[in-house]
Structure formats: structure tokens, C-alpha cells
Amino acid sequence: MAARKSPVKSNVSAEELLGYYKDMLLIRRFEEKAGQLYGMGLIGGFCHLYIGQEAVVVGLEATAEDGDKRITSYRDHGHMLACGMDPNGVMAELTGRSGGYSKGKGGSMHMFSKEKHFYGGHGIVAAQVPLGAGLAFADKYKGNGRVTFTYFGDGAANQGQVYETFNMAALWDLPCIFVIENNQYAMGTAQKRSTSSPDIYTRGAAFGIPGEAVDGMDVLAVKDAGERAVKHCRSGKGPYILEIKTYRYRGHSMSDPAKYRTREEVQKMRDERDPIEQVREMLLTGKHASEDDLKAIDKEIKKVVNASAEFAKESPLPDLSELWTDIYAEAEA
Ligand SMILES: Cc1ncc(C[n+]2csc(CCOP(=O)(O)OP(=O)(O)O)c2C)c(N)n1
Ligand SMILES: [Mg+2]
């Protein structure tokens, strides 16, 4: 259960590296654009950006197979893009438009895709953890070999329902990977101020769930650990815990004054550990891509993101009649 070092990088193909680079850059540029639209008043309500954490979801998605499931918290745009959901549909939902994944009725925290097996988008801290175990239960029951990636934060890891879930997931050997995205803060509370047990990856020990700590700024280290977790779960050995140490560059949400940490702390992480810069370096030093190639990729990605913003702006607001669709009960006549 010890923290692992990054894997040897020489055996990674140029194609693989380029793929991670593009996927992480799409999330970064999309989130930057979402931040801009928020500032312009085009996105209302809650909006939690994922900038800085891109390597977590991209590294793990590289280990997923068709039919595997994922569920996460409100910091969810990166997860949606990484599993192949359409940027147009995500941006339209952020702006509350009818072309969005929830027809403009869900917003940032409440999007879903049955097709991509993305089960949300949950605003209540840790609520998705038992739900993730439930998804894994369904797959175990069907015996279909699928696994569920259940993502939650360092703050959520202190919730009681997480341990009730660990207990049942271990008892029933559920194929559930508990992915703790430890970005070091829960809103304005630093992890060291909120727990006497900072090695979150050890917290399954009481239930016999193996866990490991992973460098979440290194996409290759994440993928490497993800492969071990997936292998464990798919072979019927029960759940697995990955505590992925990452960092969010932006505030908790768009309304965070960020007084609980220094600018220098954030800048140091950006300068020394940025997940996209690390892969960029590997691509350049390995001569897998030139500066011009990377510029062209950035241009291409910005085009996709700008198109999603245009799509969102042109998509109409939901019709009032939508108030009566997708609800649990029909209104009584
Ligand atoms: C049950 C519950 N309690 C409190 C909140 C308010 N709240 C929203 S996010 C958050 C912090 C969670 O931090 P963490 O799990 O580390 O996730 P991160 O935001 O860092 O991704 C809190 C306390 C909530 N949404 N739900
Ligand atoms: Mg956190």
C-alpha cells in the first residue's frame, strides 16, 4: 500500500502521448472558455472548474473499456469530455440551453449520458459514492465484467457514507474503483486542517480493500495505477482505492475569493508540476512533435471549444413546457 513512483517513460508511444496531450488540452481550453462565459454572465449558478486536475481523468479513461461506468461530483466537466461526451452538449448545458445534455435544466452539476455510461454530476458531497457501488453491484449481478470508476474528493472522503459503502463493496466484492481526487482542499479547508488520517489510500484497510497513492500530475503514473486497479476489479477480487494526488489551480467554484492559500503556492505548482506541460516536454524532447505541431493542435482544439460556445449561444432556452418533462410523476389533472 505504498506510494508508487512514476513508471519508466521510454516505452510510451508517440501516438499514446499525443492522445493524452490532446485530451488534457481539450479539458483545459474548455474550462478556460467556461470561465470566460461565466464572467460574461452566460453561465449562471454553480460552476466548478477542473483546471490542474486533467491528468487524473485522462489517465484513468485510458484504462477503461466499452461499457465501463463513471460517476463523479460537481467538478465534472473534465470527466464528461474525457469519456467522449460532446463538448457542444456540455457547453449548452452549462449555459442552460435546450441543446444541453439535460435540455438546459441541469446545469454544470447535473449532466448524464447513458450512451457513454456517465452517471453524473452530483452536488451533494459524497452522494455519488454509494451510487457508484450500486452501479458496480448491477454489473456484478449481470456478470458482464464491467467496472465502475467512482470519483470523489479529499473532503468527501471524510463522509460517513463512504465507509458504509466501503464495507458493502468489500463484502460483496464489487468491481468498483474508488478514485479519490485529492486536490488538497475542500472548499477553503486544507486537507491537513480537516483530518488526522491524511493517507486516504489506507482507509480501506479495515475492510481489506487495497489502495495506493498516485502522482496525479503525471498522466502516465495515473494510467499505470489505473491498470492495476482495473485488473484487480475485473478479475473479481473486489474494490480498489486510488488516492490520486492532484491540485486545482482555480478557486473551489467561480465565486471563491481564494483567501486560504497564496498565489505563490498555485504558481509553484503550475510552474513545476503542470500535467500538460510535462507531456509537452516529453513530446518535444522525444522528438515526437515539433513546436509547430503542438501549436497546430492547440489551434484545432480552440476551434472545437469556440464552436461549442457558439453552439451554446445559438441554442434556444428550454421551453416552459419542459418544466413537466423528465420528472418522477405526472401532474394530476
Ligand atoms: C453534504 C454536503 N455538505 C456540504 C456541501 C458543501 N460543499 C460543496 S463542495 C464541498 C467541499 C468538498 O471538497 P472535496 O470533496 O475535496 O472536493 P473538491 O471540491 O475539492 O473537488 C463542500 C463542503 C455539500 N455540497 N454537500
Ligand atoms: Mg478537494
Side-chain angles (χ1 to χ4, degrees):
M1 288 204 185
R4 282 175 189 266
K5 283 230 169 298
S6 302
V8 182
K9 295 178 174 125
S10 53
N11 58 355
V12 182
S13 72
E15 200 188 354
E16 199 183 331
L17 274 179
L18 271 170
Y20 301 149
Y21 185 75
K22 286 181 192 166
D23 291 349
M24 290 194 290
L25 200 59
L26 173 65
I27 297 174
R28 173 99 24 125
R29 296 287 178 248
F30 183 93
E31 292 290 67
E32 287 167 352
K33 180 57 79 178
Q36 279 171 16
L37 296 190
Y38 196 96
M40 291 161 67
L42 285 162
I43 296 175
F46 287 104
C47 182
H48 307 82
L49 300 182
Y50 194 63
I51 297 178
Q53 301 185 208
E54 297 91 347
V56 180
V57 81
V58 169
L60 289 180
E61 281 295 337
T63 70
E65 285 177 9
D66 236 17
D68 288 341
K69 302 180 171 57
R70 58 282 288 163
I71 186 165
T72 189
S73 71
Y74 42 83
R75 200 175 301 289
D76 54 357
H77 318 151
H79 302 69
M80 294 186 266
L81 297 176
C83 75
M85 287 169 66
D86 181 359
N88 287 2
V90 181
M91 200 63 98
E93 189 58 44
L94 287 177
T95 48
R97 307 302 174 109
S98 55
Y101 269 100
S102 300
K103 300 186 197 161
K105 299 187 287 182
S108 164
M109 307 195 289
H110 305 110
M111 280 182 245
F112 308 86
S113 167
K114 253 174 136 173
E115 185 204 352
K116 301 289 179 191
H117 306 283
F118 178 76
Y119 288 86
H122 294 268
I124 300 301
V125 169
Q128 75 275 19
V129 181
L131 297 178
L135 292 168
F137 180 87
D139 285 332
K140 164 111 187 172
Y141 189 76
K142 291 178 188 156
N144 61 13
R146 298 295 114 226
V147 305
T148 297
F149 295 87
T150 301
Y151 293 86
F152 55 105
D154 48 292
N158 295 327
Q159 265 250 10
Q161 60 186 318
V162 170
Y163 301 92
E164 296 183 39
T165 304
F166 282 179
N167 183 45
M168 300 314 289
L171 180 68
W172 292 331
D173 289 330
L174 300 183
C176 188
I177 303 169
F178 295 107
V179 183
I180 298 152
E181 297 199 56
N182 183 354
N183 60 11
Q184 305 182 34
Y185 291 93
M187 298 185 87
T189 307
Q191 201 211 354
K192 58 177 178 291
R193 293 177 56 222
S194 63
T195 180
S196 60
S197 160
D199 288 329
I200 309 177
Y201 69 96
T202 64
R203 292 199 200 164
F207 310 96
I209 307 176
E212 57 178 288
V214 186
D215 177 357
M217 304 309 269
D218 177 346
V219 70
L220 299 179
V222 175
K223 186 201 162 214
D224 191 46
E227 278 173 351
R228 280 190 292 281
V230 165
K231 192 169 168 216
H232 179 94
C233 287
R234 261 199 240 292
S235 65
K237 291 185 183 154
Y240 200 93
I241 295 173
L242 294 175
E243 179 194 351
I244 307 200
K245 292 181 190 288
T246 180
Y247 197 78
R248 67 164 158 73
Y249 296 170
R250 297 291 185 95
H252 167 74
S253 68
M254 293 304 292
S255 53
D256 178 359
K259 294 210 168 113
Y260 48 86
R261 62 181 182 184
T262 61
R263 278 171 192 269
E264 290 73 31
E265 179 186 306
V266 182
Q267 197 55 45
K268 190 170 160 50
M269 196 59 94
R270 274 183 179 272
D271 291 344
E272 296 175 7
R273 303 297 337 276
D274 187 76
I276 301 177
E277 277 305 312
Q278 289 191 51
V279 174
R280 183 186 156 80
E281 272 305 309
M282 281 185 243
L283 285 166
L284 292 173
T285 51
K287 303 219 184 308
H288 299 313
S290 66
E291 292 272 3
D292 282 348
D293 295 336
L294 298 182
K295 261 189 209 146
I297 288 173
D298 201 3
K299 208 170 154 193
E300 208 44 49
I301 286 174
K302 279 184 180 149
K303 231 193 236 171
V304 171
V305 168
N306 287 338
S308 77
E310 284 315 308
F311 175 83
K313 284 182 213 162
E314 279 163 24
S315 176
L317 291 166
D319 190 81
L320 264 188
S321 63
E322 284 292 350
L323 282 171
W324 302 105
T325 64
D326 309 316
I327 53 177
Y328 289 111
E330 294 286 325
E332 301 242 345

